[in-house]
Amino acid sequence: MDTVSDRFGQNLSSRLPIHRGNMRQSGKKEVAKIKGMFQGKPTPEDACNQMANYMFDDKTKSWHNYFGWEIYFTGEPQHSAGGPYPKNGPIWSLYSFSSKNGAKQHILFQQESDLYEVNGSTKKCVQVQPGRKPPAQSDYLTSYTPFGKYVVIADGNNSIVKYRGGNKLFPVGWPEAPGPISPRSPGSNPASLGGGYFFDSSEDYIKRNASGLPVKIESENWPGLGTATKDEKNKYFYKVSFINETGSESPISQQSDAVKWTTTEFAVDGVNTTSRTGVLLSGIPTGPEGVVARKVYRTKNNATTFFYAFTIYDNITQEGVDYLEDDQLGDEAPNPSDSIVMPSQMPRFAASFQNCLFIDGGKKNPSRIFYSNPLQMDSYSASSYFEIGNRQGGDITGLFPYYNNLFVFRERAIDVISGTPGNFQVSPFIQGVGCKSHATIDAVPGVGICFLAEDGIYAIQGNFTGFELNITKLSTPIDLLSETWSRSGMKRAVGQYWPQAKEYHCYIPDSGSDQVGLGIVLHENFGWSVRDGWPVGCCTVDYDGNFIFGHKLGNANQYNTLPSGTAVGNGLMVISGKRQAGYVVSEPSPEKEIIPAPALTSTFRSQWHDMGYDPAKKQIKYLYIYAYTTGQQQVPIRWYRDGDWKAEFDQYAVNPSTSMVQEQSYLWERPDYPDQPNYITIPAGAPVPAESAIWDTSVWQDRYLTSIRVAVPLFMCSTFAFEIETTSKIQFVGYAVEYTATPTQTIRGKS
C-alpha cells in the first residue's frame, strides 16, 4: 500500500486516506481545548496562532475577555483638580506591602519626583518623600525589598531609604561615625575641688563644682573609678556608638581625650583617707533621625581595650556620669571594622537574605555586592562584600532571594550566593543568559523564578537543598515576539505574578521604544497569550490579590487641551471585571470630560490547519465553535486560506461585490433555544425586547456550553485558519473544522 509522509517524515497513512480518481471524503479536525499561542513549527494540536487580551479559566478550560482596567480609586474625581493624584506625570515605580497581618496595607508609588503612599481610608495620596530624581531612560527601575517591618527603596539615583509606614522614612546605613565624647577629668585635690570635677563615691550626693548644686545618684551601688591607692595615676578613654530602631549599631567613634588624675589623700573628720571618683561625661553626641539609644564604651584603668559601660536610652541627653568599677564593665567593644560608614550610598538593587541586607555598589561600583551584619540592616563590616567583576558576565542587574540561595543577575550571566552569615560564598550559575530587566524577576508557584532575558522568558528551577539548579526557557512557543522587543528599553520592562488569576505578566517595550508596548502572559495551563494596548509603567499585587499598575501616561489635569479620544491615565489602575480600556477624553460638548474608554479588542487566530496533508486541496464546509453563551453579543468570525491573513476579495476579486463572503457575525446564544434574558439598555420609548431581563423578576441563568456552527463559503485551500476579533463579551473552549478532502493537489511550482 502506498504511503504519504509530511515534511517532517511522519507517516500520514493513518491520518489521511489516499485519494484516487474522483474520490471525495469528509473529515473533521477538532481542537477540543486550546492551550495558548505557538508560533513555531510544527504546531501542537492544542495551539493557536494568536491569543490577545484573553484570560484562561481553569475551571471550565475556557478563554474569556471578561476584564479591563479602571482607576484604583473607583468613583473619585480622579482626572481633575482635587483628585487623589497630586502630580500629572507617569507613575515610575509601585509597590504594595502589608503589616499587622494584612490589617494595614501600604501602597507606595513615585509620580514625577515625589514618593507617595495611598491612604485607602481617605482615598488620597500622602507624600512620603519629595524631591526624588526620576529615572532616566538608561536607569533601572526602583527596587523595593521587604526587610522585617520595613521596605527598602533603592534606585541608583537617590540615597537608599527604608520605610515602615506613617511617614517613618529613614536612611539605610550610617552616613558617618559619631563624634568623640568630651569627658571631664576629676580634680587632683578633692578637698578643694579646685583642679577640675570631683564626684566622691563615698557620699550619697555628688557635686559638679564648688558652687554647683548637688546632683543625686540614683544607684545605691556606685563604687567609682580609679584606684584607692595613694599617689597612683589613673587614666581612662571613652567611645560611643548609635543604636537605631532596627537594632543596628553605628560605626564606633574615635576615642576621647584621656581622663587622668592622681589618687590623693585627704582628711575626713581628722582621719586621712582616699576615695574613688565618678567621671562627668559631657558632649555626648546625638545621632540622626531614627536613633533610639547610644552605647558608651570605656577602657579599664591604664589600659587600651574598650568594654561596654552603659546605654543612654534616648537621643537627647548629652551629659552623664560614669561610676562603674572596672570589673563591672561588660563585653568588649566592637572593632572599628565591624561597622563602617555606608559602603554604597546609592545602590540600585537590594535584597533580604539570611537576615542580612544585600546591596550592590551602585553606578560607581556596579560589580560589587555588600551585605549587612545579621539582623542589623544598617551595619556593614569592612570585609563583608563580594567582587564579581573578575568573571565575564557584565555588571550586576538584579538581586533576588529564593529559599536557600540569593541569585545575582548580571547582563550576560547569573551567579548564586549561598551559605550563612560569616560563611557566605558566591559561585557562577550560568553564562550566556542574563537579565537587564530586574523588575520582571518574580517567583511563580510550580514554575520557579521567572525573568525576562533578551531572547525570551526563562525560569530558574530546583532551588532546594539536595536538588540541582537548572534553567529552562519558557517562551519558546512565542519566540517570534522576542524579535520585536526593544533592546534599548529592556530596563523599563516589568513583570509580576498574579496569584488571583494564577498568571505571570510581563510588559515589555517593543518596536525600538523605551515605553512598554507589549504584554505577554503565562497562564495556569502553561499556555501563552499577549496583552495588546496595555499602558503599564509598573505593577504590583496588593494583599487582597488585586493587580495594580501605574499608568505610563500622565496629562490628566490638562485634559481640556487634549484632542477628543486621547487616552488619559493619571495615577494607579487596577484590573477588574469592568470591560473598559481605561479612560479617554470625550467629545467637547458641552465641554470635554474624562469618560471610560470602550472595551478592549480581543483577538483569536487559530493555527493553520492542513488536515494532515498540506498538498491536498480541501473544501471547508463548516466551522464549529464550542462557546459559552454570553447574551446579545454579536461576534464577527473571519476565515482565511493558504497561510495568508488577508480578506479573500483583497487577493482574487476584481469586483469586491462578487467575491465570496469573508466574514459573518453570530449571536453567542444557543441556536435551537430561545435567547437567554439579558440586562440591556433600552432607549426611551423603544419596545422592550423579549430577551430583556427585568430586575427582581427574571430568574438568573447560567452560561451554557453550545456549539455555534458557521458556514464557510471559501475556495478550495491547502490550509485553513479563522479569526475572531471583537470587543464583545465572549468565552469559548475549542472548535472543530468540517471539511471534504478532494483528489486535487497543489499545482506545479512556478519556473
Side-chain angles (χ1 to χ4, degrees), residues 323-356:
Y323 49 82
L324 297 177
E325 200 170 11
D326 286 355
D327 60 6
Q328 290 183 303
L329 296 176
D331 294 335
E332 189 173 338
N335 292 320
S337 62
D338 290 343
S339 179
I340 62 174
V341 171
M342 185 64 172
S344 178
Q345 296 290 339
M346 294 187 180
R348 299 165 300 166
F349 316 107
S352 173
F353 179 64
Q354 296 286 21
N355 295 320
C356 299

Side-chain angles (χ1 to χ4, degrees), residues 670-713:
R670 292 185 293 177
D672 45 358
Y673 287 86
D675 290 347
Q676 291 181 270
N678 292 270
Y679 291 108
I680 58 176
T681 301
I682 304 171
V688 179
E691 68 275 7
S692 64
I694 301 174
W695 183 259
D696 205 30
T697 300
S698 298
V699 178
W700 177 264
Q701 296 187 18
D702 291 331
R703 295 186 295 271
Y704 294 109
L705 184 62
T706 186
S707 177
I708 299 174
R709 189 180 74 172
V710 180
V712 181

Side-chain angles (χ1 to χ4, degrees), residues 22 276 298 353 414 473 534 656-657:
N22 293 323
R276 294 185 173 92
R298 193 197 80 202
F353 179 64
I414 303 173
K473 188 174 185 180
W534 287 70
S657 64

Side-chain angles (χ1 to χ4, degrees), residues 571-583:
L572 305 183
M573 303 288 165
V574 62
I575 298 179
S576 72
K578 193 168 185 177
R579 300 189 64 251
Q580 67 178 63
Y583 301 86

Side-chain angles (χ1 to χ4, degrees), residues 21-92:
N22 293 323
M23 292 178 56
R24 286 175 170 265
Q25 295 198 12
S26 296
K28 184 180 181 182
K29 178 67 176 180
E30 185 173 46
V31 180
K33 291 186 296 184
I34 302 167
K35 181 177 181 179
M37 292 174 57
F38 192 95
Q39 298 175 319
K41 295 291 184 180
T43 306
E45 294 288 327
D46 57 357
C48 64
N49 179 274
Q50 187 178 127
M51 180 80 73
N53 296 330
Y54 283 95
M55 294 180 69
F56 179 74
D57 179 14
D58 188 60
K59 298 181 181 65
T60 59
K61 312 302 179 185
S62 65
W63 296 86
H64 67 83
N65 61 358
Y66 303 168
F67 64 99
W69 76 84
E70 58 181 318
I71 196 76
Y72 183 74
F73 291 107
T74 305
E76 292 296 302
Q78 64 273 7
H79 296 306
S80 60
Y85 302 105
K87 296 291 185 177
N88 187 44
I91 305 295
W92 292 116

Side-chain angles (χ1 to χ4, degrees), residues 200-392:
D200 186 353
S201 63
S202 63
E203 299 178 358
D204 290 336
Y205 290 85
I206 59 175
K207 297 181 179 179
R208 302 186 60 168
N209 52 42
S211 60
L213 297 175
V215 179
K216 184 172 179 58
I217 296 298
E218 298 295 336
S219 173
E220 295 180 357
N221 180 25
W222 56 294
L225 286 76
T227 177
T229 303
K230 178 184 176 182
D231 296 330
E232 289 287 334
K233 295 185 181 298
N234 305 283
K235 182 168 68 173
Y236 294 88
F237 295 93
Y238 289 85
K239 289 186 178 182
V240 66
S241 66
F242 299 143
I243 306 295
N244 65 17
E245 63 176 30
T246 70
S248 299
E249 186 168 4
S250 74
I252 198 165
S253 70
Q254 295 291 322
Q255 69 181 23
S256 67
D257 292 336
V259 179
K260 296 183 293 184
W261 75 95
T262 300
T263 302
T264 57
E265 187 178 72
F266 58 97
V268 177
D269 296 330
V271 179
N272 291 335
T273 185
T274 59
S275 176
R276 294 185 173 92
T277 185
V279 173
L280 174 65
L281 305 178
S282 63
I284 301 174
T286 57
E289 185 180 7
V291 169
V292 297
R294 288 156 294 163
K295 284 187 175 181
V296 177
Y297 299 93
R298 193 197 80 202
T299 61
K300 294 182 179 181
N301 198 3
N302 293 306
T304 57
T305 302
F306 286 83
F307 296 89
Y308 170 75
F310 58 90
T311 299
I312 302 173
Y313 290 98
D314 62 42
N315 194 30
I316 301 173
T317 302
Q318 294 183 324
E319 291 186 345
V321 177
D322 176 21
Y323 49 82
L324 297 177
E325 200 170 11
D326 286 355
D327 60 6
Q328 290 183 303
L329 296 176
D331 294 335
E332 189 173 338
N335 292 320
S337 62
D338 290 343
S339 179
I340 62 174
V341 171
M342 185 64 172
S344 178
Q345 296 290 339
M346 294 187 180
R348 299 165 300 166
F349 316 107
S352 173
F353 179 64
Q354 296 286 21
N355 295 320
C356 299
L357 181 66
F358 284 71
I359 58 175
D360 76 306
K363 296 178 181 179
K364 295 182 179 180
N365 205 347
S367 62
R368 184 163 292 190
I369 302 171
F370 301 93
Y371 55 93
S372 73
N373 298 330
L375 300 174
Q376 297 188 37
M377 63 187 299
D378 297 292
S379 300
Y380 291 79
S381 170
S383 60
S384 297
Y385 70 90
F386 293 112
E387 175 59 58
I388 63 171
N390 53 2
R391 291 194 299 271
Q392 290 186 350

